Amino acid sequence: MPDAPHDAPAAGPLAGLRVLDLTLARAGPTCVRHLADWGADVVRLEPPAGPGEDVAGRRHGADFQNLHRNKRAIQLDLKSQAGHAAFLRLLRDADVVVENMRPSVKRRLRVAWPDVHAVNPRIVYGSISGFGQDGPYADRAGVDQIAQGMSGLMSITGLPGQGPVRAGIAVADLTAGNLLALGIMMALYERMRTGVGRWVTTSLLQAQVFMLDFQAARWLVDQEVARQAGNDHPTGIPTGVFPTSDGHINIAASSSRLFTRFCAAIGRPDWAERPGWTTQAGRSADRVAINAAIAEVTRSQPAAHWIELFEEAGIPCGPIYAIDQVFADPQVQHLGLAMPMQSPALGRVDVVSSALDFSGHVRAVRRPTPEAGEHTREVLREAGLSEAEIDAVTGAAP
């Protein structure tokens, strides 16, 4: 992708791309993980540990190990003159910088877009914030759950009348990271034509409102405020969770064609002709009665019975797993969604694989999640710093 590629430790679609990772928490590292997993040479810049900080305990936790594989790690104190000077040296050969600091913090550290662009006009600079780089909330602290609440997501999650419910994953963080990775690749593509980098930004609030998708469109187009619908699809009935003799399953038979086939499959073809149940709008209006009628039938047999029956009829359905059952599923195993990593600190562990596949490339951990400062001297030597300069950066005795 870059015009003047660097040497990379292993081949991949992004081999030759040099990325400086200034991110913290989850949203920024999610973005960088896409780049690292597919061959970019990612250098993670971390501040020196504070007094009493349990660096090893945090780094060796499942979350950190999963977020930071395929990277190198260095320690730089950007507040110090030597640390900032080293950062500027690293910028000369970098293609991408990714950060998720508050706007005022990166300006104070002199690592904001104007500072970086002045040193290397080819840099693509990616930023994630809580609420945007400017505007009335620009310097507010933003975390995933705050964005879930302000975006409206919590108002439509959960059972009717339950009150606000957060989603079970950090969906705003993850979506912001995914979107920024896409934006960075767009900017790199443009740079092939122009030779000049761009500042690409998104925020947790933007990402989460974007993810409302059809629920947001219901308001913008029709002025309809979506409400909590629990496990039922808000507009397509019947789509939801139904009991079986040994648990629950998901069934999705919302179109008139699917509903007719569904009714035939469970031995109630009369339902497809019942007045009020022949249209999606009618089924939506009478969802409580429809769901109750279906539940009376499905609870008579185990989940495997219904899944086999509905699969034969071409009706979307599936089991409802706990997380351990997810990774025991044969299709999940076939897709390789648990990716092995050999960690010097932890031994052989599995991390969550990339969800992308490229013909001719294999998903793999090229580098285990690094220890704090593991590659500091190596990376600074590559940037041309002398041993004396490196000692000044690291605080090593002369």
Side-chain angles (χ1 to χ4, degrees):
M1 183 65 66
D3 303 292
H6 311 287
D7 293 330
L14 298 181
L17 193 71
R18 173 66 64 85
V19 179
L20 301 183
D21 177 8
L22 297 175
T23 66
L24 300 169
R26 183 175 315 281
T30 295
C31 166
V32 178
R33 182 174 57 187
H34 284 295
L35 311 180
D37 278 355
W38 291 107
D41 178 16
V42 173
V43 177
R44 178 170 170 78
L45 283 67
E46 301 172 338
E53 185 178 349
D54 182 14
V55 175
R58 180 174 60 87
R59 298 187 82 86
H60 296 162
D63 195 21
F64 195 97
Q65 291 290 309
N66 188 56
L67 278 172
H68 298 296
R69 74 283 183 109
N70 288 326
K71 302 178 183 180
R72 295 191 285 173
I74 71 172
Q75 289 185 323
L76 278 187
D77 181 1
L78 294 174
K79 299 176 184 177
S80 73
Q81 182 176 349
H84 190 266
F87 172 70
L88 297 181
R89 294 278 285 274
L90 292 172
L91 283 177
R92 296 177 186 175
D93 295 321
D95 299 292
V96 178
V97 172
V98 187
E99 59 83 24
N100 58 345
M101 305 174 191
R102 293 194 212 180
S104 61
V105 172
K106 59 176 169 274
R107 289 194 294 266
R108 185 168 67 248
L109 292 175
R110 294 173 295 143
V111 297
W113 164 245
D115 306 302
V116 168
H117 187 66
V119 174
N120 183 349
R122 291 172 46 78
I123 282 280
V124 170
Y125 187 97
S127 297
I128 295 176
S129 60
F131 304 101
Q133 298 298 316
D134 46 34
Y137 302 162
D139 261 322
R140 284 191 184 182
V143 297
D144 177 85
Q145 188 155 337
I146 305 303
Q148 286 196 33
M150 292 181 65
S151 69
L153 177 63
M154 292 175 66
S155 75
I156 58 174
T157 303
L159 299 171
Q162 182 177 3
V165 178
R166 69 179 290 275
I169 60 170
V171 61
D173 280 346
L174 297 171
T175 302
N178 294 340
L179 289 172
L180 187 63
L182 175 62
I184 286 170
M185 299 314 298
M186 292 178 183
L188 288 169
Y189 183 77
E190 183 189 45
R191 193 184 73 175
M192 293 174 63
R193 300 193 311 273
T194 66
V196 178
R198 293 280 189 183
W199 185 15
V200 185
T201 73
T202 190
S203 68
L204 304 189
L205 184 60
Q206 286 171 282
Q208 191 54 70
V209 172
F210 169 80
M211 284 293 284
L212 291 182
D213 197 58
F214 76 95
Q215 296 282 45
R218 290 171 69 185
W219 164 250
L220 293 174
V221 177
D222 299 323
Q223 284 69 61
E224 179 183 357
V225 178
R227 304 296 183 189
Q228 289 170 312
N231 290 319
D232 294 334
H233 190 280
T235 58
I237 307 299
T239 298
V241 174
F242 296 92
T244 66
S245 64
D246 60 351
H248 296 83
I249 57 172
N250 274 313
I251 301 171
S254 57
S255 72
S256 294
R257 177 178 57 86
L258 283 174
F259 185 61
T260 299
R261 281 159 47 185
F262 171 79
C263 294
I266 63 171
R268 292 303 305 264
D270 56 300
W271 287 354
E273 305 298 327
R274 181 176 296 189
W277 291 15
T278 58
T279 66
Q280 190 174 94
R283 291 190 296 275
S284 183
D286 205 16
R287 74 170 68 199
V288 173
I290 290 176
N291 287 347
I294 293 172
E296 280 300 309
V297 177
T298 58
R299 63 167 47 99
S300 66
Q301 296 287 344
H305 167 84
W306 296 117
I307 291 171
E308 181 179 358
L309 181 71
F310 295 146
E311 279 295 318
E312 290 178 358
I315 298 162
C317 63
I320 299 174
Y321 287 148
I323 303 299
D324 57 338
Q325 295 172 306
V326 172
F327 288 98
D329 183 273
Q331 185 65 23
V332 172
Q333 292 182 351
H334 171 78
L335 293 171
L337 293 176
M339 186 165 60
M341 178 173 76
Q342 190 65 37
S343 165
L346 302 176
R348 199 271 195 188
V349 296
D350 286 340
V351 292
V352 182
S353 176
S354 171
L356 299 172
D357 285 300
F358 288 82
S359 60
H361 292 292
V362 177
R363 286 175 289 162
V365 175
R366 306 184 324 279
R367 296 179 180 273
T369 300
E371 296 299 302
E374 180 179 340
H375 303 99
T376 301
R377 301 191 78 88
E378 171 185 300
V379 170
L380 294 182
R381 286 192 194 104
E382 291 173 2
L385 274 71
S386 68
E387 293 302 314
E389 289 174 315
I390 295 173
D391 288 342
V393 170
T394 61

